């Protein structure tokens, strides 16, 4: 049985203020926990069922506090009722600058605020081999529980750097592609060997400041009557067309 103090600590990490204070976050569910153990994140605590502990005992590193719990306790500890295996507490990594090389692509997130969208974008980037994301300070936090879960473990392989986008883009040597309602048809764009792909806010799109720094406007052609595309869906379409070439 988990102590009240440990339970309170884990639950507190559902709130950004306490994640920042403790410099820790929670990953819930078998997939996220296993990906965490196979990454370079520092795991400090594991609360898991006996079945999970017996099955994956070989993955548990020395020095990690292990707490056996029931499925009911797991449900009360985390944000998601469907967790029946375990949850892990890990250290937050420093917000370090990333360098996008001349022969690779990076994503730039301009005020993408929905945690589900951010999580899906990270997972989609991982699928298409995009390893670096630059995000505005207003974008959703990568260590939000909903984001972590939506990435399905991809958060362990993607480097994400939060910074003021204007300064970053003014200093980049790369082509900067931005999605708009008007622009080159994404189906025929030659993306070259590297560059930055800007994804805008869910309702407002790419901000005025960032728009001025976009060097190539691209568009996803519309064939039906929908007003707009989900930000994560649009990202997937652009990356698919990018990789076709």
């Amino acid at each position: 049985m988990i102590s009240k103090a440990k339970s309170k600590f884990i639950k507190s990490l559902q709130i950004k203020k306490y994640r920042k204070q403790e410099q820790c976050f929670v990953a819930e569910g078998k997939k996220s926990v296993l990906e965490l153990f196979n990454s370079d994140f520092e795991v400090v605590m594991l609360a898991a069922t006996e079945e999970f502990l017996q099955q994956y005992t070989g993955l548990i590193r020395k020095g990690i506090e292990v707490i056996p719990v029931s499925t009911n306790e797991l449900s009360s500890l985390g944000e998601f009722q469907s967790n029946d295996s375990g949850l892990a507490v890990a250290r937050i990594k420093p917000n370090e600058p990333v360098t996008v090389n001349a022969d690779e692509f990076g994503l730039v997130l301009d005020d993408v605020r929905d945690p589900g969208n951010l999580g899906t974008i990270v997972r989609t980037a991982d699928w298409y081999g995009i390893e670096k994301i630059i995000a505005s300070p207003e974008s959703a936090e990568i260590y939000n529980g909903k984001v972590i879960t939506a990435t399905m473990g991809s958060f362990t392989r993607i480097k994400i750097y939060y910074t003021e986008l204007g300064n970053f883009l003014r200093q980049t040597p790369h082509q900067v592609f931005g999605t708009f309602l008007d622009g080159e048809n994404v189906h025929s764009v030659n993306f070259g060997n590297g560059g930055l792909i800007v994804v805008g806010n869910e309702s407002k799109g790419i901000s005025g400041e960032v728009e001025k720094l976009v060097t190539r406007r691209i568009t996803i052609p519309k064939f039906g009557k929908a007003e707009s595309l989900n930000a994560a869906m649009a990202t997937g379409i652009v990356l698919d067309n990018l990789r076709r070439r």
Side-chain angles (χ1 to χ4, degrees):
M1 179 178 290
I2 190 168
S3 70
K4 289 184 178 180
K6 296 293 183 187
S7 176
K8 183 178 179 181
F9 169 70
I10 292 171
K11 289 180 180 179
S12 74
L13 299 179
Q14 295 176 14
I15 302 170
K16 184 176 182 179
K17 169 185 174 182
Y18 295 109
R19 287 195 293 272
K20 185 175 181 180
Q21 178 180 299
E22 301 293 341
Q23 286 297 292
C24 288
F25 70 98
V26 173
E28 294 185 54
K30 184 196 296 187
K31 176 67 174 173
S32 293
V33 171
L34 292 179
E35 292 278 14
L36 201 52
F37 276 114
N38 285 314
S39 74
D40 60 354
F41 276 90
E42 179 188 354
V43 182
V44 297
M45 185 187 300
L46 171 66
T49 62
E50 290 287 358
E51 181 182 0
F52 181 93
L53 294 175
Q54 289 175 11
Q55 187 173 0
Y56 299 106
T57 184
L59 288 177
I60 301 172
R61 306 168 196 161
K62 291 182 179 179
I64 296 174
E65 182 178 4
V66 178
I67 306 171
V69 292
S70 66
T71 53
N72 285 338
E73 285 178 307
L74 270 180
S75 295
S76 67
L77 287 173
E79 295 183 75
F80 308 103
Q81 300 298 315
S82 58
N83 184 9
D84 60 357
S85 52
L87 62 77
V89 176
R91 297 284 183 200
I92 287 174
K93 288 185 176 181
N95 183 41
E96 297 178 337
V98 299
T99 300
V100 179
N101 299 320
D103 60 349
E104 69 175 332
F105 291 91
L107 283 177
V108 176
L109 307 185
D110 184 11
D111 196 16
V112 174
R113 299 198 175 200
D114 182 83
N117 273 340
L118 176 57
T120 303
I121 287 171
V122 169
R123 185 179 177 184
T124 303
D126 190 22
W127 178 267
Y128 284 104
I130 306 297
E131 299 177 346
K132 295 162 187 174
I133 295 176
I134 300 91
S136 66
E138 297 79 20
S139 293
E141 179 208 7
I142 185 64
Y143 297 110
N144 178 300
K146 292 179 180 178
V147 176
I148 293 292
T149 299
T151 71
M152 291 297 287
S154 290
F155 74 92
T156 62
R157 290 179 289 276
I158 303 296
K159 294 179 181 178
I160 184 164
Y161 171 49
Y162 289 87
T163 189
E164 201 281 311
L165 297 184
N167 289 337
F168 181 88
L169 293 175
R170 275 188 283 271
Q171 295 173 19
T172 185
H174 295 291
Q175 286 195 96
V176 180
F177 299 88
T179 52
F180 296 91
L181 293 177
D182 62 301
E184 298 176 65
N185 187 329
V186 72
H187 297 160
S188 57
V189 171
N190 183 350
F191 287 91
N193 297 320
L196 298 172
I197 314 295
V198 181
V199 179
N201 175 268
E202 289 87 352
S203 60
K204 299 177 183 177
I206 294 173
S207 65
E209 180 187 11
V210 172
E211 180 179 359
K212 294 174 185 176
L213 300 169
V214 169
T215 56
R216 291 186 69 179
R217 299 170 72 96
I218 60 177
T219 190
I220 298 170
K222 174 181 172 180
F223 297 96
K225 297 180 180 180
E227 183 178 316
S228 62
L229 279 173
N230 171 278
M233 176 67 76
T235 303
I237 293 171
V238 172
L239 294 184
D240 190 68
N241 279 275
L242 181 157
R243 289 308 189 196
R244 289 186 189 207
R245 304 180 189 283

